[in-house]
Amino acid sequence: MNMDVFKQYGPPDHVCYRTETIEEYNELVDALKGPGTSSGKVELLIEGCIGGRSIATFRLLAQGGVMTKHGLVNVVEIPAPKEGSPYKSGLEHAEFVIGAHHGVA
């Protein structure tokens, strides 16, 4: 298997930005839901409870997203902190979609 995921699968489907506290999660999600949403810069795709905590997913519309050296990323996932699983705030992971359309069974 070719381990160069960027060549094989293209840019990530989304990136995950962790928050350290529930207050930080609420402030960030509320800010993204706020005036930026109505001005066409951010679109809330979904906010729901998964695994016992809230997770919000946004599409970045301004300039089509964020261009990286590996391609455009236009979706950010923001999970609320989970009790007993502390994380520092910041980018945590990038997720790639793989499957039959990429030759993976």
Side-chain angles (χ1 to χ4, degrees):
M1 179 174 168
N2 181 352
M3 295 308 290
D4 188 343
V5 295
F6 298 109
K7 285 183 183 174
Q8 192 166 357
Y9 303 113
D13 172 70
H14 72 270
V15 294
C16 175
Y17 185 90
R18 291 278 190 168
T19 56
E20 192 168 351
T21 66
I22 192 65
E23 293 80 16
E24 181 185 10
Y25 170 83
N26 288 329
E27 287 174 14
L28 182 56
V29 169
D30 288 347
L32 290 171
K33 286 180 180 177
T37 302
S38 62
S39 67
K41 294 180 181 176
V42 178
E43 173 188 12
L44 175 64
L45 297 175
I46 190 166
E47 184 176 16
C49 186
I50 300 172
R53 45 105 183 262
S54 294
I55 298 180
T57 304
F58 292 90
R59 178 176 289 125
L60 308 174
L61 302 172
Q63 301 170 344
V66 177
M67 182 57 74
T68 71
K69 73 178 189 174
H70 301 291
L72 185 69
V73 178
N74 66 356
V75 176
V76 63
E77 170 185 271
I78 305 168
K82 195 172 194 177
E83 182 91 22
S85 296
Y87 282 91
K88 293 290 182 190
S89 298
L91 293 175
E92 194 236 1
H93 71 262
E95 191 167 303
F96 295 83
V97 175
I98 60 173
H101 65 285
H102 288 293
V104 177

